[in-house]
């Protein structure tokens, strides 16, 4: 399967990773929408939140537990977590990812 985030998660090039565990990794979005714009992904292929199953939930648990560690490490006190799910919601990479956005005031509701 050709998946850009699986390629990244393989860890061949970790130089811009800001955080990793055995199950997930976090790196800057290539097209940042805020001063802080990170992507947090599982190290296995899960297409989206719609693809969550009991047998992959440990990856999601690990991702959620990683979030406060990442934001603490980067000194971000306010941030937004986004998981675009499905084409109409703006998901362009079909490998589950959380956007972590911060470093500026974020409007609500999002577009
Ligand atoms: P989404 O549109 O919610 O699926 O988010 C996918 C995100 O992945 C977009 O914000 C892209 O800018 C980002 N992206 C795509 N390719 C790369 C890459 N090679 N490295 C870092 N971010 C990427």
């Amino acid at each position: 399967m050709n998946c850009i985030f699986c390629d990244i998660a393989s860890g061949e090039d970790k130089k811009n990773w800001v955080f990793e565990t055995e199950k997930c990794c976090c790196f800057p979005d290539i097209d940042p929408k805020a001063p802080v714009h990170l992507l947090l992904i599982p190290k296995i292929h899960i297409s989206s939140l719609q693809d969550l199953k009991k047998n992959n939930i440990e990856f999601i648990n690990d991702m959620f537990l990683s979030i406060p560690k990442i934001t603490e490490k980067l000194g971000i006190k306010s941030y937004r977590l986004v998981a675009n799910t499905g084409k109409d919601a703006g998901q362009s990479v079909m490998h589950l990812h959380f956007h972590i956005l911060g470093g500026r005031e974020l409007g609500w509701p999002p577009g």
Side-chain angles (χ1 to χ4, degrees), residues 4-5 8 16 27-33 37 39 82-85 89-95 97 99:
I4 179 70
F5 285 180
I8 291 173
N16 67 350
F27 51 88
D29 193 294
I30 204 170
D31 182 18
K33 302 293 189 281
H37 187 172
L39 297 173
V82 174
N84 295 325
T85 305
Q91 185 177 5
S92 62
V93 178
M94 297 299 153
H95 179 125
H97 50 282
H99 298 259

Side-chain angles (χ1 to χ4, degrees), residues 10 12 15 20 30-32 38 43 51 53 82 86 100 110:
S10 75
E12 262 175 48
K15 67 177 178 299
E20 80 168 302
I30 204 170
D31 182 18
L38 303 169
K43 287 185 177 176
D51 201 23
K53 306 269 181 335
V82 174
I100 301 171

Side-chain angles (χ1 to χ4, degrees), residues 19-93:
F19 185 87
E20 80 168 302
T21 69
E22 193 191 315
K23 293 186 171 63
C24 69
C25 60
C26 183
F27 51 88
D29 193 294
I30 204 170
D31 182 18
K33 302 293 189 281
V36 176
H37 187 172
L38 303 169
L39 297 173
L40 176 62
I41 68 172
K43 287 185 177 176
I44 59 163
H45 189 82
I46 302 172
S47 301
S48 78
L49 285 179
Q50 285 302 107
D51 201 23
L52 288 192
K53 306 269 181 335
K54 277 192 179 150
N55 68 1
N56 59 27
I57 199 70
E58 67 198 83
F59 285 82
I60 305 306
N61 287 343
D62 191 68
M63 289 168 73
F64 274 113
L65 288 172
S66 296
I67 291 165
K69 294 178 187 159
I70 294 165
T71 52
E72 250 168 56
K73 187 175 171 187
L74 296 182
I76 315 162
K77 291 203 168 61
S78 292
Y79 58 91
R80 183 171 296 163
L81 191 68
V82 174
N84 295 325
T85 305
K87 199 165 148 279
D88 285 352
Q91 185 177 5
S92 62
V93 178

